Short mmCIF file of all heavy atoms in Angstrom, two decimals:
data_model
loop_
_atom_site.label_atom_id
_atom_site.label_comp_id
_atom_site.label_asym_id
_atom_site.label_seq_id
_atom_site.Cartn_x
_atom_site.Cartn_y
_atom_site.Cartn_z
N MET A 107 0.85 -1.23 0.02
CA MET A 107 0.02 0.06 0.04
C MET A 107 0.90 1.31 -0.05
O MET A 107 0.64 2.17 -0.80
CB MET A 107 -1.05 0.01 1.21
CG MET A 107 -1.88 1.31 1.35
SD MET A 107 -2.70 1.38 2.79
CE MET A 107 -1.91 2.62 3.62
N GLY A 108 1.90 1.28 0.76
CA GLY A 108 2.75 2.49 0.97
C GLY A 108 3.42 2.80 -0.29
O GLY A 108 3.46 4.06 -0.70
N ASN A 109 3.91 1.91 -1.16
CA ASN A 109 4.60 2.26 -2.24
C ASN A 109 3.66 2.74 -3.31
O ASN A 109 3.99 3.74 -4.06
CB ASN A 109 5.39 1.02 -2.74
CG ASN A 109 6.56 1.35 -3.73
OD1 ASN A 109 6.96 2.56 -3.73
ND2 ASN A 109 6.78 0.46 -4.53
N SER A 110 2.53 2.24 -3.59
CA SER A 110 1.52 2.64 -4.47
C SER A 110 1.10 4.00 -4.20
O SER A 110 0.79 5.04 -4.89
CB SER A 110 0.33 1.70 -4.79
OG SER A 110 -0.50 1.74 -3.67
N SER A 111 0.85 4.27 -2.71
CA SER A 111 0.48 5.70 -2.28
C SER A 111 1.48 6.66 -2.56
O SER A 111 1.19 7.73 -2.98
CB SER A 111 0.11 5.65 -0.89
OG SER A 111 -1.03 4.75 -0.60
N LYS A 112 2.77 6.30 -2.43
CA LYS A 112 3.82 7.25 -2.70
C LYS A 112 3.88 7.49 -4.13
O LYS A 112 4.10 8.65 -4.56
CB LYS A 112 5.15 6.56 -2.28
CG LYS A 112 5.54 6.67 -0.69
CD LYS A 112 6.65 5.97 -0.21
CE LYS A 112 7.87 6.41 -0.83
NZ LYS A 112 9.13 5.75 -0.13
N GLN A 113 3.76 6.55 -4.93
CA GLN A 113 3.75 6.60 -6.46
C GLN A 113 2.53 7.71 -6.84
O GLN A 113 2.77 8.56 -7.74
CB GLN A 113 3.45 5.39 -7.23
CG GLN A 113 4.80 4.60 -7.14
CD GLN A 113 6.09 5.45 -7.76
OE1 GLN A 113 6.00 6.01 -8.65
NE2 GLN A 113 7.18 5.16 -6.92
N GLN A 114 1.36 7.48 -6.23
CA GLN A 114 0.18 8.40 -6.53
C GLN A 114 0.67 9.79 -6.11
O GLN A 114 0.32 10.77 -6.91
CB GLN A 114 -0.92 8.00 -5.71
CG GLN A 114 -1.61 6.72 -6.42
CD GLN A 114 -2.82 6.30 -5.63
OE1 GLN A 114 -2.87 6.42 -4.32
NE2 GLN A 114 -3.78 5.67 -6.23
N ALA A 115 1.19 10.09 -4.89
CA ALA A 115 1.49 11.34 -4.42
C ALA A 115 2.62 11.91 -5.45
O ALA A 115 2.47 13.19 -5.78
CB ALA A 115 2.13 11.36 -3.10
N LEU A 116 3.70 11.21 -5.88
CA LEU A 116 4.58 11.75 -6.78
C LEU A 116 4.02 12.09 -8.07
O LEU A 116 4.36 13.00 -8.71
CB LEU A 116 5.81 10.63 -6.92
CG LEU A 116 6.68 10.38 -5.86
CD1 LEU A 116 7.53 9.20 -6.09
CD2 LEU A 116 7.52 11.69 -5.67
N SER A 117 3.09 11.29 -8.62
CA SER A 117 2.51 11.59 -9.86
C SER A 117 1.66 12.90 -9.88
O SER A 117 1.68 13.71 -10.57
CB SER A 117 1.49 10.52 -10.32
OG SER A 117 2.19 9.30 -10.52
N LYS A 118 0.91 13.16 -8.70
CA LYS A 118 0.13 14.32 -8.48
C LYS A 118 1.19 15.50 -8.43
O LYS A 118 0.93 16.52 -8.90
CB LYS A 118 -0.65 14.18 -7.20
CG LYS A 118 -1.80 13.30 -7.39
CD LYS A 118 -2.54 13.11 -6.18
CE LYS A 118 -3.81 12.11 -6.33
NZ LYS A 118 -4.60 11.93 -5.05
N ILE A 119 2.23 15.23 -7.75
CA ILE A 119 3.27 16.40 -7.52
C ILE A 119 3.86 16.88 -8.86
O ILE A 119 3.82 17.92 -9.24
CB ILE A 119 4.39 15.96 -6.55
CG1 ILE A 119 3.93 15.98 -5.23
CG2 ILE A 119 5.64 16.93 -6.67
CD1 ILE A 119 4.83 15.34 -4.11
N ARG A 120 4.13 15.77 -9.70
CA ARG A 120 4.58 16.05 -11.08
C ARG A 120 3.55 16.83 -11.93
O ARG A 120 3.98 17.76 -12.59
CB ARG A 120 5.11 14.83 -11.75
CG ARG A 120 6.46 14.36 -11.39
CD ARG A 120 6.93 13.10 -12.30
NE ARG A 120 7.43 12.15 -11.38
CZ ARG A 120 6.86 11.07 -11.07
NH1 ARG A 120 5.70 10.71 -11.58
NH2 ARG A 120 7.36 10.21 -10.21
N PHE A 121 2.46 16.27 -11.89
CA PHE A 121 1.27 17.10 -12.46
C PHE A 121 1.09 18.45 -12.19
O PHE A 121 1.10 19.32 -12.93
CB PHE A 121 -0.07 16.29 -12.39
CG PHE A 121 -1.30 17.07 -12.83
CD1 PHE A 121 -1.49 16.96 -14.27
CD2 PHE A 121 -2.05 17.78 -12.09
CE1 PHE A 121 -2.62 17.70 -14.92
CE2 PHE A 121 -3.08 18.56 -12.67
CZ PHE A 121 -3.35 18.42 -14.02
N LEU A 122 1.15 18.72 -10.76
CA LEU A 122 0.92 20.08 -10.43
C LEU A 122 2.06 20.92 -10.70
O LEU A 122 1.93 22.12 -11.24
CB LEU A 122 0.79 19.97 -8.85
CG LEU A 122 -0.52 19.61 -8.34
CD1 LEU A 122 -0.64 19.25 -6.90
CD2 LEU A 122 -1.73 20.51 -8.55
N GLU A 123 3.38 20.35 -10.59
CA GLU A 123 4.54 21.16 -11.01
C GLU A 123 4.45 21.57 -12.60
O GLU A 123 4.77 22.67 -13.01
CB GLU A 123 5.86 20.44 -10.85
CG GLU A 123 6.17 20.42 -9.27
CD GLU A 123 7.26 19.57 -8.95
OE1 GLU A 123 7.73 18.62 -9.68
OE2 GLU A 123 7.74 19.69 -7.77
N ASP A 124 3.92 20.55 -13.39
CA ASP A 124 3.92 20.80 -14.82
C ASP A 124 2.85 21.94 -15.05
O ASP A 124 2.96 22.79 -15.98
CB ASP A 124 3.38 19.61 -15.57
CG ASP A 124 4.52 18.54 -15.64
OD1 ASP A 124 5.70 18.94 -15.44
OD2 ASP A 124 4.26 17.45 -15.99
N GLN A 125 1.67 21.95 -14.30
CA GLN A 125 0.64 22.97 -14.49
C GLN A 125 1.24 24.34 -14.10
O GLN A 125 0.91 25.25 -14.76
CB GLN A 125 -0.45 22.73 -13.48
CG GLN A 125 -1.34 21.41 -13.97
CD GLN A 125 -1.89 21.60 -15.37
OE1 GLN A 125 -2.55 22.55 -15.70
NE2 GLN A 125 -1.61 20.75 -16.24
N LEU A 126 2.05 24.36 -12.97
CA LEU A 126 2.61 25.61 -12.59
C LEU A 126 3.61 26.17 -13.74
O LEU A 126 3.56 27.39 -14.00
CB LEU A 126 3.42 25.44 -11.30
CG LEU A 126 2.59 25.39 -10.07
CD1 LEU A 126 3.43 24.85 -8.94
CD2 LEU A 126 2.02 26.90 -9.75
N VAL A 127 4.32 25.30 -14.39
CA VAL A 127 5.32 25.70 -15.38
C VAL A 127 4.46 26.23 -16.57
O VAL A 127 4.94 27.12 -17.33
CB VAL A 127 6.32 24.52 -15.72
CG1 VAL A 127 7.03 24.78 -17.01
CG2 VAL A 127 7.19 24.26 -14.57
N SER A 128 3.37 25.59 -16.94
CA SER A 128 2.64 25.85 -18.04
C SER A 128 1.75 27.05 -18.02
O SER A 128 1.11 27.43 -18.98
CB SER A 128 1.81 24.59 -18.57
OG SER A 128 0.83 24.42 -17.75
N LEU A 129 1.73 27.78 -16.92
CA LEU A 129 0.89 28.95 -16.75
C LEU A 129 1.53 30.02 -17.83
O LEU A 129 2.73 30.39 -17.51
CB LEU A 129 0.88 29.47 -15.35
CG LEU A 129 -0.07 28.83 -14.24
CD1 LEU A 129 0.19 29.52 -12.99
CD2 LEU A 129 -1.37 28.80 -14.74
N ASP A 130 0.71 30.48 -18.72
CA ASP A 130 1.32 31.40 -19.66
C ASP A 130 1.59 32.81 -19.18
O ASP A 130 2.37 33.54 -19.56
CB ASP A 130 0.50 31.52 -20.99
CG ASP A 130 -0.78 30.83 -21.09
OD1 ASP A 130 -1.18 30.22 -20.03
OD2 ASP A 130 -1.50 31.05 -21.99
N HIS A 131 0.90 33.09 -18.17
CA HIS A 131 1.06 34.44 -17.40
C HIS A 131 0.56 34.31 -16.00
O HIS A 131 -0.08 33.30 -15.65
CB HIS A 131 0.29 35.63 -18.20
CG HIS A 131 -1.20 35.44 -18.38
ND1 HIS A 131 -1.71 34.52 -19.21
CD2 HIS A 131 -2.21 35.92 -17.57
CE1 HIS A 131 -3.08 34.57 -19.07
NE2 HIS A 131 -3.40 35.37 -18.06
N TYR A 132 1.03 35.18 -15.17
CA TYR A 132 0.78 35.15 -13.78
C TYR A 132 -0.76 35.30 -13.50
O TYR A 132 -1.36 36.29 -13.80
CB TYR A 132 1.56 36.29 -13.09
CG TYR A 132 1.44 36.15 -11.59
CD1 TYR A 132 1.97 35.16 -10.84
CD2 TYR A 132 0.65 37.15 -10.78
CE1 TYR A 132 1.87 35.03 -9.54
CE2 TYR A 132 0.60 37.11 -9.48
CZ TYR A 132 1.18 36.05 -8.74
OH TYR A 132 1.15 35.92 -7.43
N LEU A 133 -1.25 34.21 -12.95
CA LEU A 133 -2.75 34.17 -12.50
C LEU A 133 -2.77 33.96 -11.01
O LEU A 133 -2.67 32.78 -10.67
CB LEU A 133 -3.51 33.04 -13.27
CG LEU A 133 -3.49 33.07 -14.84
CD1 LEU A 133 -3.89 31.88 -15.43
CD2 LEU A 133 -4.35 34.27 -15.22
N PRO A 134 -2.81 34.99 -10.16
CA PRO A 134 -2.73 34.83 -8.78
C PRO A 134 -3.50 33.70 -8.16
O PRO A 134 -3.01 32.92 -7.33
CB PRO A 134 -3.04 36.24 -8.29
CG PRO A 134 -2.89 37.19 -9.38
CD PRO A 134 -3.13 36.39 -10.64
N GLU A 135 -4.87 33.78 -8.42
CA GLU A 135 -5.68 32.79 -7.87
C GLU A 135 -5.44 31.29 -8.16
O GLU A 135 -5.38 30.32 -7.35
CB GLU A 135 -7.23 33.06 -8.08
CG GLU A 135 -7.67 34.36 -7.29
CD GLU A 135 -9.11 34.57 -7.68
OE1 GLU A 135 -9.82 33.69 -8.10
OE2 GLU A 135 -9.42 35.80 -7.41
N THR A 136 -5.07 31.11 -9.56
CA THR A 136 -4.76 29.91 -9.99
C THR A 136 -3.41 29.47 -9.43
O THR A 136 -3.18 28.20 -9.08
CB THR A 136 -4.65 29.78 -11.60
OG1 THR A 136 -5.93 30.26 -12.07
CG2 THR A 136 -4.42 28.45 -12.17
N TYR A 137 -2.44 30.27 -9.41
CA TYR A 137 -1.10 29.97 -8.84
C TYR A 137 -1.27 29.53 -7.40
O TYR A 137 -0.70 28.59 -6.97
CB TYR A 137 -0.24 31.12 -9.06
CG TYR A 137 1.19 30.99 -8.49
CD1 TYR A 137 2.21 30.26 -9.13
CD2 TYR A 137 1.50 31.47 -7.19
CE1 TYR A 137 3.44 30.16 -8.61
CE2 TYR A 137 2.76 31.23 -6.67
CZ TYR A 137 3.73 30.52 -7.34
OH TYR A 137 5.01 30.38 -6.86
N ASP A 138 -1.94 30.30 -6.59
CA ASP A 138 -2.12 30.10 -5.14
C ASP A 138 -2.79 28.76 -5.05
O ASP A 138 -2.40 27.88 -4.10
CB ASP A 138 -3.04 31.14 -4.58
CG ASP A 138 -2.27 32.54 -4.38
OD1 ASP A 138 -1.06 32.60 -4.53
OD2 ASP A 138 -2.93 33.45 -4.08
N TYR A 139 -3.75 28.37 -5.87
CA TYR A 139 -4.57 27.17 -5.83
C TYR A 139 -3.54 25.94 -5.99
O TYR A 139 -3.48 24.94 -5.22
CB TYR A 139 -5.68 27.01 -6.68
CG TYR A 139 -6.21 25.70 -6.76
CD1 TYR A 139 -7.08 25.13 -5.86
CD2 TYR A 139 -5.81 24.79 -7.94
CE1 TYR A 139 -7.66 23.83 -5.91
CE2 TYR A 139 -6.35 23.59 -8.04
CZ TYR A 139 -7.24 23.04 -7.02
OH TYR A 139 -7.74 21.81 -7.18
N LEU A 140 -2.70 26.13 -7.08
CA LEU A 140 -1.80 25.02 -7.50
C LEU A 140 -0.75 24.76 -6.44
O LEU A 140 -0.36 23.79 -6.09
CB LEU A 140 -1.07 25.39 -8.81
CG LEU A 140 -2.05 25.25 -10.03
CD1 LEU A 140 -1.40 25.81 -11.23
CD2 LEU A 140 -2.52 23.76 -10.30
N MET A 141 -0.26 25.95 -5.77
CA MET A 141 0.67 25.97 -4.70
C MET A 141 0.25 25.22 -3.52
O MET A 141 0.90 24.45 -2.86
CB MET A 141 1.30 27.34 -4.37
CG MET A 141 2.09 27.85 -5.50
SD MET A 141 3.62 26.75 -5.98
CE MET A 141 4.50 26.92 -4.48
N ARG A 142 -1.07 25.56 -3.20
CA ARG A 142 -1.70 24.95 -2.01
C ARG A 142 -1.82 23.41 -2.15
O ARG A 142 -1.50 22.57 -1.37
CB ARG A 142 -3.11 25.49 -1.80
CG ARG A 142 -3.12 26.76 -0.96
CD ARG A 142 -4.52 27.05 -0.46
NE ARG A 142 -5.58 26.93 -1.49
CZ ARG A 142 -5.90 27.97 -2.31
NH1 ARG A 142 -5.27 29.07 -2.10
NH2 ARG A 142 -6.74 27.89 -3.15
N GLU A 143 -2.28 23.00 -3.37
CA GLU A 143 -2.42 21.55 -3.62
C GLU A 143 -1.02 20.85 -3.72
O GLU A 143 -0.90 19.75 -3.20
CB GLU A 143 -3.10 21.34 -5.06
CG GLU A 143 -4.59 21.65 -5.05
CD GLU A 143 -5.29 20.89 -4.05
OE1 GLU A 143 -5.25 19.77 -3.99
OE2 GLU A 143 -6.06 21.41 -3.25
N LEU A 144 0.06 21.61 -4.36
CA LEU A 144 1.28 21.04 -4.24
C LEU A 144 1.84 20.85 -2.75
O LEU A 144 2.49 19.70 -2.59
CB LEU A 144 2.31 22.10 -5.11
CG LEU A 144 3.66 21.52 -5.22
CD1 LEU A 144 3.78 20.17 -6.00
CD2 LEU A 144 4.41 22.62 -6.03
N ASP A 145 1.56 21.84 -2.00
CA ASP A 145 2.03 21.63 -0.58
C ASP A 145 1.36 20.45 0.11
O ASP A 145 1.98 19.67 0.79
CB ASP A 145 1.79 22.94 0.08
CG ASP A 145 2.31 23.08 1.51
OD1 ASP A 145 3.44 22.68 1.62
OD2 ASP A 145 1.46 23.21 2.52
N ILE A 146 0.03 20.31 -0.14
CA ILE A 146 -0.67 19.14 0.39
C ILE A 146 -0.18 17.83 0.04
O ILE A 146 0.13 16.90 0.76
CB ILE A 146 -2.25 19.28 0.02
CG1 ILE A 146 -2.91 20.43 0.74
CG2 ILE A 146 -2.94 17.91 0.22
CD1 ILE A 146 -4.31 20.77 0.15
N GLN A 147 0.18 17.72 -1.30
CA GLN A 147 0.63 16.52 -1.90
C GLN A 147 2.11 16.16 -1.30
O GLN A 147 2.52 15.07 -1.10
CB GLN A 147 0.69 16.37 -3.35
CG GLN A 147 -0.74 16.42 -4.03
CD GLN A 147 -1.60 15.20 -3.51
OE1 GLN A 147 -1.12 14.16 -3.35
NE2 GLN A 147 -2.83 15.61 -3.09
N LYS A 148 2.91 17.19 -1.16
CA LYS A 148 4.32 17.08 -0.62
C LYS A 148 4.30 16.53 0.82
O LYS A 148 5.02 15.90 1.36
CB LYS A 148 5.06 18.23 -0.83
CG LYS A 148 5.58 18.46 -2.41
CD LYS A 148 6.57 19.57 -2.48
CE LYS A 148 7.00 19.62 -3.97
NZ LYS A 148 8.05 20.57 -4.18
N ARG A 149 3.22 17.13 1.53
CA ARG A 149 3.07 16.86 2.96
C ARG A 149 2.76 15.40 2.93
O ARG A 149 3.12 14.53 3.89
CB ARG A 149 1.93 17.66 3.66
CG ARG A 149 1.94 17.31 5.14
CD ARG A 149 0.64 17.76 5.80
NE ARG A 149 -0.49 17.19 5.15
CZ ARG A 149 -0.97 15.87 5.30
NH1 ARG A 149 -0.27 15.11 6.10
NH2 ARG A 149 -2.09 15.33 4.84
N ILE A 150 1.84 14.85 2.10
CA ILE A 150 1.38 13.51 2.15
C ILE A 150 2.56 12.62 1.79
O ILE A 150 2.76 11.58 2.43
CB ILE A 150 0.22 13.39 1.10
CG1 ILE A 150 -1.11 13.91 1.54
CG2 ILE A 150 0.03 11.79 0.89
CD1 ILE A 150 -2.19 14.01 0.62
N LEU A 151 3.37 13.00 0.88
CA LEU A 151 4.51 12.26 0.58
C LEU A 151 5.52 12.10 1.67
O LEU A 151 5.94 11.04 2.02
CB LEU A 151 5.27 12.82 -0.65
CG LEU A 151 6.39 12.07 -1.19
CD1 LEU A 151 6.18 10.59 -1.56
CD2 LEU A 151 7.07 12.85 -2.31
N ALA A 152 5.73 13.27 2.32
CA ALA A 152 6.59 13.22 3.59
C ALA A 152 6.01 12.27 4.65
O ALA A 152 6.89 11.56 5.22
CB ALA A 152 6.73 14.61 4.13
N GLU A 153 4.81 12.31 4.90
CA GLU A 153 4.17 11.41 5.81
C GLU A 153 4.36 10.07 5.50
O GLU A 153 4.71 9.25 6.40
CB GLU A 153 2.62 11.80 5.94
CG GLU A 153 1.92 11.03 7.07
CD GLU A 153 0.48 11.46 7.17
OE1 GLU A 153 0.16 12.55 6.93
OE2 GLU A 153 -0.47 10.54 7.34
N LEU A 154 4.18 9.69 4.27
CA LEU A 154 4.30 8.30 3.79
C LEU A 154 5.75 7.88 4.00
O LEU A 154 6.00 6.80 4.38
CB LEU A 154 3.90 8.10 2.34
CG LEU A 154 2.40 8.20 2.06
CD1 LEU A 154 2.05 8.33 0.62
CD2 LEU A 154 1.74 7.00 2.77
N GLU A 155 6.78 8.82 3.65
CA GLU A 155 8.14 8.49 3.74
C GLU A 155 8.59 8.38 5.18
O GLU A 155 9.50 7.55 5.51
CB GLU A 155 9.01 9.51 3.03
CG GLU A 155 8.75 9.28 1.57
CD GLU A 155 9.61 10.46 0.81
OE1 GLU A 155 9.92 11.49 1.39
OE2 GLU A 155 9.83 10.35 -0.38
N VAL A 156 8.03 8.93 6.29
CA VAL A 156 8.22 8.83 7.55
C VAL A 156 7.57 7.71 8.16
O VAL A 156 8.20 6.84 9.16
CB VAL A 156 7.70 10.02 8.35
CG1 VAL A 156 7.83 9.95 9.80
CG2 VAL A 156 8.70 11.29 7.98
N GLN A 157 6.40 7.23 7.63
CA GLN A 157 5.64 6.08 8.20
C GLN A 157 6.50 4.80 8.10
O GLN A 157 6.46 3.95 8.95
CB GLN A 157 4.32 5.86 7.51
CG GLN A 157 3.39 6.89 8.02
CD GLN A 157 1.93 6.80 7.36
OE1 GLN A 157 1.83 6.01 6.27
NE2 GLN A 157 1.15 7.56 7.77
N GLU A 158 7.14 4.63 6.96
CA GLU A 158 7.92 3.31 6.65
C GLU A 158 8.93 3.07 7.75
O GLU A 158 8.97 2.03 8.43
CB GLU A 158 8.44 3.19 5.27
CG GLU A 158 7.32 3.21 4.27
CD GLU A 158 7.99 3.24 2.81
OE1 GLU A 158 9.35 3.31 2.64
OE2 GLU A 158 7.20 3.22 1.86
N PRO A 159 9.97 4.04 8.09
CA PRO A 159 10.93 3.83 8.95
C PRO A 159 10.35 3.71 10.43
O PRO A 159 10.82 2.88 11.23
CB PRO A 159 11.92 4.96 8.94
CG PRO A 159 11.52 5.77 7.83
CD PRO A 159 10.21 5.25 7.23
N PHE A 160 9.39 4.43 10.79
CA PHE A 160 8.64 4.36 11.91
C PHE A 160 8.11 2.96 12.14
O PHE A 160 8.08 2.41 13.27
CB PHE A 160 7.47 5.31 12.28
CG PHE A 160 8.01 6.68 12.45
CD1 PHE A 160 9.31 7.16 12.39
CD2 PHE A 160 7.16 7.68 13.04
CE1 PHE A 160 9.83 8.28 12.85
CE2 PHE A 160 7.50 9.01 13.41
CZ PHE A 160 8.93 9.23 13.34
N ALA A 161 7.39 2.33 11.19
CA ALA A 161 6.90 1.05 11.25
C ALA A 161 8.08 0.02 11.50
O ALA A 161 7.94 -0.89 12.33
CB ALA A 161 6.20 0.71 10.01
N SER A 162 9.22 0.20 10.76
CA SER A 162 10.35 -0.69 11.14
C SER A 162 10.84 -0.72 12.58
O SER A 162 11.13 -1.59 13.23
CB SER A 162 11.55 -0.33 10.13
OG SER A 162 11.07 -0.63 8.89
N ILE A 163 10.94 0.66 13.11
CA ILE A 163 11.32 0.91 14.49
C ILE A 163 10.39 0.14 15.39
O ILE A 163 10.75 -0.52 16.29
CB ILE A 163 11.47 2.34 14.74
CG1 ILE A 163 12.68 2.95 13.93
CG2 ILE A 163 11.69 2.60 16.25
CD1 ILE A 163 12.59 4.48 13.90
N ASP A 164 9.15 0.33 15.21
CA ASP A 164 8.06 -0.21 16.01
C ASP A 164 8.20 -1.78 16.04
O ASP A 164 7.98 -2.50 16.98
CB ASP A 164 6.73 0.16 15.72
CG ASP A 164 6.46 1.74 16.00
OD1 ASP A 164 7.27 2.25 16.78
OD2 ASP A 164 5.44 2.28 15.51
N ALA A 165 8.34 -2.40 14.72
CA ALA A 165 8.46 -3.77 14.66
C ALA A 165 9.66 -4.37 15.44
O ALA A 165 9.57 -5.46 15.90
CB ALA A 165 8.48 -4.19 13.07
N GLU A 166 10.81 -3.60 15.30
CA GLU A 166 12.02 -3.99 16.07
C GLU A 166 11.73 -4.07 17.58
O GLU A 166 12.20 -4.95 18.24
CB GLU A 166 13.13 -3.18 15.70
CG GLU A 166 13.68 -3.47 14.19
CD GLU A 166 14.88 -2.61 13.97
OE1 GLU A 166 15.60 -2.13 14.92
OE2 GLU A 166 15.11 -2.45 12.75
N LYS A 167 11.11 -3.02 18.02
CA LYS A 167 10.80 -2.87 19.52
C LYS A 167 9.88 -4.11 20.00
O LYS A 167 10.01 -4.43 21.18
CB LYS A 167 10.21 -1.54 19.82
CG LYS A 167 11.19 -0.42 19.92
CD LYS A 167 10.58 0.78 20.55
CE LYS A 167 11.59 1.76 20.72
NZ LYS A 167 11.11 2.85 21.57
N SER A 168 8.99 -4.52 19.14
CA SER A 168 7.99 -5.59 19.57
C SER A 168 8.52 -6.89 19.51
O SER A 168 7.82 -7.82 19.86
CB SER A 168 6.77 -5.38 18.88
OG SER A 168 6.94 -5.61 17.56
N LYS A 169 9.70 -7.11 19.08
CA LYS A 169 10.37 -8.42 18.92
C LYS A 169 10.98 -8.87 20.33
O LYS A 169 11.27 -8.24 21.19
CB LYS A 169 11.58 -8.38 17.92
CG LYS A 169 11.07 -8.35 16.54
CD LYS A 169 12.30 -8.46 15.61
CE LYS A 169 11.75 -8.32 14.09
NZ LYS A 169 12.83 -8.44 13.28
#
């Protein structure tokens, strides 16, 4: 589950970054929206990347 969720988050991040690059002129509301969504996806990715080592640490403690 973790790996496919990470892939989904990475795909969304790439998409949002492409959308930001493709803005032909500065559109404040659109830019703000894309940046908010990008921040959300990067936070989700960071959470997933932290969960894996934490799960390993917890598994070692319970042995």
Side-chain angles (χ1 to χ4, degrees):
M107 176 185 112
N109 202 21
S110 69
S111 296
K112 280 171 61 173
Q113 288 303 318
Q114 286 178 328
L116 284 168
S117 293
K118 290 177 181 180
I119 288 168
R120 276 189 231 104
F121 172 78
L122 289 164
E123 288 173 341
D124 289 345
Q125 292 300 305
L126 283 163
V127 169
S128 71
L129 285 178
D130 13 353
H131 57 284
Y132 185 68
L133 301 166
E135 291 179 17
T136 304
Y137 179 82
D138 289 346
Y139 169 76
L140 291 171
M141 289 303 292
R142 274 193 313 274
E143 289 300 315
L144 184 59
D145 186 51
I146 290 167
Q147 293 306 315
K148 285 187 175 185
R149 187 203 55 79
I150 289 170
L151 180 61
E153 185 178 321
L154 291 167
E155 289 176 341
V156 167
Q157 285 176 353
E158 290 175 9
F160 278 16
S162 295
I163 292 167
D164 291 342
E166 286 180 24
K167 280 191 170 188
S168 63
K169 286 183 181 179

